[in-house]
Amino acid sequence: MEKATKKSSIFLIGFMGAGKSTIGKKLAHRLGLTFFDLDKLIEAKAGCSISDIFKFLGETAFREMEQACLQSFQTKDHFLLACGGGTPCFFDNLHLMKDNGLVVYVDLQESVLFERLSKAKKIRPSIVGLAENQLKDFISKQLKSRMSFYEQADLTMSGLSINVNEIVEKIEQFAH
Ligand code: S3P
C-alpha cells in the first residue's frame, strides 16, 4: 500500500539535453500526473533566469535553491517532476527522490547530447561559450562523473526512441 502511494509520483533525471521536459510532459499527460519542471520553478521563485542565478549568485547558491525546491515535493503527490541535469548529484537529493517517488533516468548517447547541446548552449550556464571540442570534452567528463548517480534510478528509458506506451507499461509494472 505504502509503495503504491510513494510510486504515484515520478522524478525524471538525466543529462542536459536528454529531453526530460519534452518527454516528461507527454508522460505526465498520459499518466494523469501534474507536470513540473524544476528549473522553471527555481526561476519563478528567484525571479530571474538560471543563467542569471549562476552569473550573479554562483553555482553553490543555485544548488541550494534547487535542493530547497526539490524538498518542497516531499509533501506533494501525483506529479511528474523533470529535474535539472545535476539535481541527483548534489546533497542527498537522489535519496529524497527515491523516498518520494519513482526515479526514471532518461538515457541518451554522448554524440546525440553533443548535437543537441551545441544548438542550445546559450541557455545553459555550464556550457555557454564552449568551443566544439571543449563541449565534447565537457559532456564526456561530466557524463562519466554523473553516471554513478543516474544509474541508481529505478528505471531507465531511452531519450532517443520514445515510446510512451512502453514506458508507461514499465512504470506500471514497477509500481505494482
Ligand atoms: C544543469 C542542468 C540544467 C540546469 C542548470 C544546471 C546541470 O538543467 O539545472 O543549468 O548541472 O546539468 P537541464 O538538464 O534541464 O538543462
Side-chain angles (χ1 to χ4, degrees):
M1 181 67 181
E2 199 209 338
K3 192 176 176 197
T5 312
K6 253 178 38 156
K7 302 302 178 191
S8 56
S9 297
I10 294 176
F11 295 91
L12 270 198
I13 63 169
F15 207 77
M16 285 183 280
K20 300 176 294 278
S21 301
T22 312
I23 297 167
K25 279 179 201 153
K26 286 186 191 155
L27 254 186
H29 181 73
R30 178 69 163 64
L31 292 165
L33 302 175
T34 310
F35 174 79
F36 293 97
D37 183 313
L38 194 58
D39 282 344
K40 294 266 180 328
L41 294 174
I42 298 166
E43 287 180 331
K45 197 144 192 241
C48 64
S49 67
I50 301 287
S51 298
D52 281 347
I53 299 174
F54 268 74
K55 193 165 151 195
F56 298 113
L57 302 172
E59 179 171 356
T60 305
F62 170 75
R63 295 300 171 194
E64 282 164 6
M65 290 177 188
E66 182 177 52
Q67 182 192 32
C69 231
L70 179 70
Q71 284 172 341
S72 70
F73 281 85
Q74 284 175 295
T75 53
K76 292 190 177 78
D77 203 1
H78 288 93
F79 62 82
L80 185 151
L81 178 67
C83 299
T87 315
C89 317
F90 290 83
F91 310 114
D92 61 346
N93 291 351
L94 182 60
H95 291 120
L96 185 152
M97 293 182 209
K98 293 197 73 150
D99 284 348
N100 290 280
L102 186 73
V103 180
V104 179
Y105 170 46
V106 183
D107 183 23
L108 199 58
Q109 68 218 64
E110 241 175 88
S111 57
V112 187
L113 288 172
F114 172 73
E115 257 173 58
R116 289 194 189 172
L117 291 174
S118 54
K119 290 179 202 128
K121 282 192 286 193
K122 271 198 198 130
I123 53 161
R124 292 185 162 95
S126 30
I127 57 171
V128 67
L130 295 187
E132 291 222 333
N133 55 338
Q134 292 172 317
L135 180 62
K136 260 191 193 140
D137 202 42
F138 173 86
I139 295 170
S140 177
K141 285 194 181 130
Q142 195 159 68
L143 196 55
K144 272 190 195 86
S145 75
R146 289 183 170 179
M147 202 45 93
S148 62
F149 297 95
Y150 294 154
E151 278 174 352
Q152 292 180 58
D154 299 305
L155 291 175
T156 296
M157 57 168 284
S158 163
L160 201 55
S161 53
I162 306 156
N163 181 333
V164 176
N165 288 339
E166 210 175 276
I167 306 160
V168 168
E169 210 172 286
K170 263 187 165 184
I171 289 172
E172 282 171 352
Q173 271 172 7
F174 190 94
H176 294 106

